[in-house]
Amino acid sequence: ELGAVAAVMRRHAEHLVTWFGATVGIRSFRKHPGWYLKGFPVGNEIRRSLNQVGSLPELDDLLGRLDPHLPYPAATGARRGHTQGPRRVKLPDGFLTDPDEVPILDRAAAEAVSGG
């Protein structure tokens, strides 16, 4: 049910705020509501508001507007995740040639932090 999903969303946002601080944490959370709500018929207005949420109290207000008894989309036949099957992982050429070597993908970035 959507009530359980809303509780997980709230906990996720709270952990991000605890880890990154109020501003960065809640901004980091904004990219996740679309995934959590995929398949739920909640409407564009609430989705847009959740993608622009500015604080945990505002998130609580928005989550409180959701119908907690909406069934989970899997029960309604809505598709979630990769509908075409798993995607193939693509690594740069030679990435796993030597398992003891730590590859440097961006030499300029590595030199900027390593001192040369």
Side-chain angles (χ1 to χ4, degrees):
E1 293 185 331
L2 184 54
V5 172
V8 172
M9 289 174 67
R10 174 56 164 88
R11 193 167 56 245
H12 185 175
E14 187 175 346
H15 287 306
L16 287 170
V17 166
T18 299
W19 185 261
F20 293 113
T23 302
V24 174
I26 204 70
R27 284 183 182 167
S28 296
F29 175 75
R30 290 178 185 170
K31 61 185 169 184
H32 299 285
W35 182 84
Y36 279 114
L37 298 176
K38 185 173 183 172
F40 284 106
V42 297
N44 289 336
E45 182 181 335
I46 192 79
R47 290 175 192 275
R48 191 174 312 113
S49 296
L50 285 166
N51 288 331
Q52 298 173 356
V53 69
S55 66
L56 286 176
E58 183 182 348
L59 177 64
D60 292 337
D61 177 57
L62 291 168
L63 294 177
R65 296 182 198 176
L66 299 173
D67 178 1
H69 303 292
L70 281 174
Y72 193 72
T76 62
R79 306 278 298 201
R80 293 178 57 92
H82 297 292
T83 59
Q84 304 298 318
R87 294 182 181 170
R88 189 166 193 273
V89 176
K90 297 178 184 175
L91 298 173
D93 288 337
F95 191 80
L96 297 176
T97 304
D98 183 357
D100 295 324
E101 181 183 342
V102 178
I104 298 174
L105 299 178
D106 186 345
R107 209 162 283 287
E111 289 174 2
V113 296
S114 70

